[in-house]
Amino acid sequence: MSAAKAEILTRIRDALGPSPVVPEIPRGYRAAGSIAHDGVVEQFCAHVAEYRATVHRVADSEVAFAVRAILGEGKRVGVPVGFRDLGMPVVEDHGLSVAELDALDAVVTGSALAIADTGTIALVSGAASGRRALTLVPDHHICLVAASSIVPSVPDAVAALGPDAPITLVSGPSATSDIELDRVEGVHGPRVLDVIVFA
């Protein structure tokens, strides 16, 4: 310990005295399970749309049709390995290079869960969401969100997500602003985000 640090700590101890009073820490913050699930799907859809994502609500059986309707024909579309059948040609990500990912017109992935309170989607590296590069390099991301996976708040999401895989949190298309608050999209990820919420 440096002499300066020791002196600072000595002064603090002297100021506190031999029996410092420890104040009660307020713990009125939100915790997992403290918010009801009522209306979480509608709340998530409204909040993620505020971030300029386009939201589509469909039945589970209509997901592939919705994806094809968004993309049209003739697009190079990447998906995680073993992804659900979309009824169209796709490129599975068996370790595609950055150049190959950049050549894709769009990527379609699933998600781990979504957060109603913030309009955020959690992608966990794995079978449903694919690896992180797959969702960051292509300029158009179509993300499937099961309505049953939407949780009310961030604490609920933290409690549900495991610590064993990389997690990417997505709140709308990639965007940033400079000191003049000029919005620039697509700096760190896709400029276009379509969210298909299915039940």
Side-chain angles (χ1 to χ4, degrees), residues 60-84:
D60 191 356
S61 60
E62 299 170 341
V63 167
F65 176 80
V67 170
R68 295 194 301 271
I70 293 168
L71 290 172
E73 297 183 359
K75 301 286 179 63
R76 286 180 49 82
V77 180
V79 296
V81 176
F83 199 65
R84 65 189 293 166

Side-chain angles (χ1 to χ4, degrees), residues 6-153:
E7 181 180 347
I8 291 170
L9 293 176
T10 299
R11 289 184 180 182
I12 292 173
R13 290 190 187 98
D14 291 344
L16 292 173
S19 302
V21 177
V22 179
E24 187 69 25
I25 300 174
R27 300 191 184 277
Y29 46 77
R30 292 178 177 175
S34 63
I35 300 177
H37 275 70
D38 298 340
V40 292
V41 176
E42 291 74 17
Q43 186 181 15
F44 166 74
C45 292
H47 286 171
V48 76
E50 290 174 358
Y51 292 116
R52 299 188 185 181
T54 303
V55 181
H56 313 263
R57 293 187 64 178
V58 302
D60 191 356
S61 60
E62 299 170 341
V63 167
F65 176 80
V67 170
R68 295 194 301 271
I70 293 168
L71 290 172
E73 297 183 359
K75 301 286 179 63
R76 286 180 49 82
V77 180
V79 296
V81 176
F83 199 65
R84 65 189 293 166
D85 182 20
L86 298 175
M88 61 186 294
V90 295
V91 180
E92 288 195 337
D93 178 27
H94 292 278
L96 294 171
S97 68
V98 173
E100 291 170 325
L101 290 170
D102 195 39
L104 296 173
D105 295 304
V107 59
V108 184
T109 75
S111 58
L113 57 79
I115 305 169
D117 197 29
T118 59
T120 302
I121 300 166
L123 306 175
V124 176
S125 183
S129 304
R131 62 188 174 116
R132 181 173 285 171
L134 180 65
T135 58
L136 292 180
V137 177
D139 203 33
H140 185 182
H141 184 192
I142 299 175
C143 189
L144 312 185
V145 175
S148 59
S149 73
I150 299 175
V151 299
S153 68

